[in-house]
Amino acid sequence: MSAELVEEAEHGLPPVYTDPLKDLSKREMQILIAIASGKAPALAAEELEIAVKTFSTYRARVLEKLGLKANVQLAVLAFELKLVPSVLNLLKKEDSE
């Protein structure tokens, strides 16, 4: 049994959903979206008008706040939360044009 189910059984309370992005700043969200979109750090930093080192610092903060270790995990989270379009959606859009 998961810890949430055990707690629910013990306390009769449903598990609480928490928004994983609630603690991210606007800039951290921009970094998350840039990474999930597959942008190279130099290009993303240029578009956001920040230094590459600053981009990397924000990236580390986002990973830490979300309890993740790699960019691929950020990308998966962003796709699951529909922050960026999936490749399949992009392909469907191209086919319809």
Side-chain angles (χ1 to χ4, degrees), residues 35 48 53:
I35 292 168
L48 295 171
K53 176 75 173 153

Side-chain angles (χ1 to χ4, degrees), residues 20-63:
L21 306 177
K22 70 177 173 51
D23 293 330
L24 297 186
S25 68
K26 180 180 176 182
R27 179 63 86 187
E28 289 166 341
M29 285 292 295
Q30 291 171 327
I31 300 297
L32 169 61
I33 291 167
I35 292 168
S37 298
K39 292 186 180 176
L43 175 61
E46 182 181 327
E47 289 177 356
L48 295 171
E49 298 179 348
I50 59 175
V52 175
K53 176 75 173 153
T54 303
F55 181 90
S56 295
T57 300
Y58 274 113
R59 177 194 161 277
R61 286 184 192 160
V62 170
L63 287 169

